[in-house]
Amino acid sequence: MQNQNSGRIERSKRDKLERIKRAARKLFGRKGFEATTTREIAAAADIGAGTLFLYAGTKEDLLVLLFREDMSRVVRDAFATMPARPVFDQVLHLFGAMIAFHERDRGLARVFVRELPFVEDRRHGVAELMASMLGGIADLIEQAKVRGELRADVPASRLAHSLFGLYFFQMQRWLGGDPITSRQRDERLRAALKLQLDGLRSDHSKMPAIKKFNPARRAASTAAARRNGRGGR
């Protein structure tokens, strides 16, 4: 009997939490983060306002709960299905999975992109999720260095941050007040990632050196060409 009661209590807790998350997703996406109140979330979840605070003390707690749960799954699945291809394609695979998730609910994506960078993180754990994802990108970069795709002296962690910054910038443009289209977002992201990674290729140092411009040599060469031209007439 005691086990049955304990099981019912746990199921009730899980059910309430799922209702809270569904209500928060819907309201954040439709009204925005600032305009949504915890009382509205509780009412939409069919629970008391006091009960909501047992699961999330603030709206910020609830926002991070949604982001960590959703994005952790997306990132985990992306790394689990990572193709054995060059690092450019691998990074696109990860960012493409994240973009596909955000495209399912653009309103909620806008809340995530606008609000999460400013959430005080000492107890929310966004930094932990970001560190895990950036660490995964850094591992892809290290593997690319071993394969000879990138220079051996490339700092993997710093490059991982740079690549994510390129992704995040295009997401801000796509979700901003003067938005770009999905096609523009994808094209610009591909171009920016390619430019960044091509500049760090292991064969970059083998490119032909550009001759330094020498005005005196150029003038002498031009004069000689003119003399030869006159002599030929």
Side-chain angles (χ1 to χ4, degrees):
M1 182 67 70
Q2 200 170 31
N3 290 337
Q4 290 178 349
N5 289 337
S6 177
R8 281 197 294 269
I9 292 172
E10 287 302 316
R11 286 194 298 272
S12 176
K13 288 181 178 179
R14 288 196 298 269
D15 177 66
K16 288 178 182 177
L17 180 57
E18 288 303 315
R19 296 205 310 266
I20 290 170
K21 290 188 293 188
R22 282 197 301 269
R25 282 191 182 95
K26 182 177 180 180
L27 288 167
F28 285 160
R30 180 165 57 86
K31 298 186 61 177
F33 182 75
E34 289 297 332
T36 300
T37 68
T38 54
R39 191 172 296 277
E40 288 175 319
I41 296 172
D46 195 26
I47 60 172
T51 302
L52 174 64
F53 294 117
L54 297 176
Y55 295 86
T58 66
K59 282 197 303 182
E60 287 79 5
D61 291 338
L62 190 50
L63 180 66
V64 172
L65 174 66
L66 296 178
F67 179 78
R68 289 188 63 186
E69 180 178 281
D70 294 339
M71 194 52 65
S72 293
R73 181 176 62 253
V74 170
V75 171
R76 183 177 61 249
D77 291 347
F79 277 110
T81 58
M82 188 62 65
R85 294 179 61 83
V87 67
F88 172 74
D89 297 313
Q90 292 179 324
V91 172
L92 275 180
H93 175 78
L94 171 62
F95 292 155
M98 296 164 65
I99 288 171
F101 166 74
H102 286 309
E103 282 186 324
R104 288 159 44 190
D105 190 334
R106 187 164 174 168
L108 186 59
R110 186 174 290 109
V111 171
F112 283 152
V113 169
R114 285 182 177 176
E115 302 295 336
L116 282 172
F118 304 100
V119 170
E120 191 278 317
D121 197 57
R122 283 182 299 178
R123 59 190 178 85
H124 288 103
V126 175
E128 181 182 349
L129 171 61
M130 290 298 300
S132 176
M133 181 188 64
L134 291 170
I137 298 175
D139 287 342
L140 296 178
I141 293 167
E142 290 291 356
Q143 294 166 22
K145 290 163 62 176
V146 171
R147 293 194 300 269
E149 292 178 31
L150 299 176
R151 296 201 317 257
D153 63 342
V154 171
S157 179
R158 190 176 302 171
L159 178 56
H161 281 78
S162 296
L163 297 177
F164 179 81
L166 296 174
Y167 155 81
F168 193 74
F169 174 71
Q170 295 303 331
M171 289 295 292
Q172 287 180 313
R173 293 289 308 279
W174 175 55
L175 297 167
D178 184 20
I180 58 177
T181 66
S182 296
R183 181 175 179 178
Q184 289 173 322
R185 175 204 63 206
D186 294 344
E187 289 176 347
R188 294 177 187 185
L189 178 59
R190 287 180 65 89
L193 293 175
K194 187 175 188 303
L195 181 64
Q196 175 82 88
L197 292 171
D198 279 357
L200 300 172
R201 290 174 60 86
S202 61
D203 60 350
H204 185 64
S205 59
K206 299 177 183 179
M207 295 177 61
I210 299 176
K211 293 182 179 180
K212 187 175 180 180
F213 177 67
N214 187 320
R217 182 181 299 171
R218 178 65 180 273
S221 176
T222 302
R226 287 175 177 171
R227 285 196 300 273
N228 290 336
R230 285 197 298 269
R233 282 198 293 268

